[in-house]
Amino acid sequence: MGIKYSNKINKIRTFALVLIFAGIAIMYIGLFFQQSPFLVTAFMLLGFLAIIASTVIYFWIGMLSSKTVQVQCPNCGKQTKMLGRVDACMYCDEPLTLDKSLEGKEFDESYNKKSK
Ligand SMILES: [Zn+2]
């Protein structure tokens, strides 16, 4: 395995978390431009939008979670959540599949898009 895959839900969650910190950072940077009301407003608005976007993503994760399948990881033995036909373990990034025909094959996220 050349590329390391990580769990989709984890990936989205990490992105949402980064977005919150980016939003706060952008708002903080805006404080350095207090001489210019326009720049302060622009930074505040941008930071605010990033935080709003992150909230939307968190909400989306909540909806996605209802579609996940609970499986026991064969590698680390923990209960993990899978999204789609192929996903990686949330704890050890072991590639997992629900489809027996794909077992042992090279892990490929494109299998999710095929509708068979
Ligand atoms: Zn695992």
Side-chain angles (χ1 to χ4, degrees), residues 13-50:
R13 201 175 277 152
T14 307
F15 179 69
L17 198 69
V18 167
L19 213 57
I20 283 190
F21 282 113
I24 292 167
I26 292 166
M27 283 177 154
Y28 185 73
I29 291 165
L31 294 177
F32 291 102
F33 296 99
Q34 275 170 356
Q35 312 93 306
S36 163
F38 171 76
L39 278 177
V40 174
T41 313
F43 272 102
M44 289 292 157
L45 210 67
L46 211 68
F48 184 66
L49 280 178

Side-chain angles (χ1 to χ4, degrees), residues 73-78 80 89-94 96:
C73 173
N75 189 45
C76 66
K78 285 180 181 153
T80 181
C89 172
M90 288 176 123
Y91 306 98
C92 66
D93 287 341
E94 169 86 1
L96 304 167

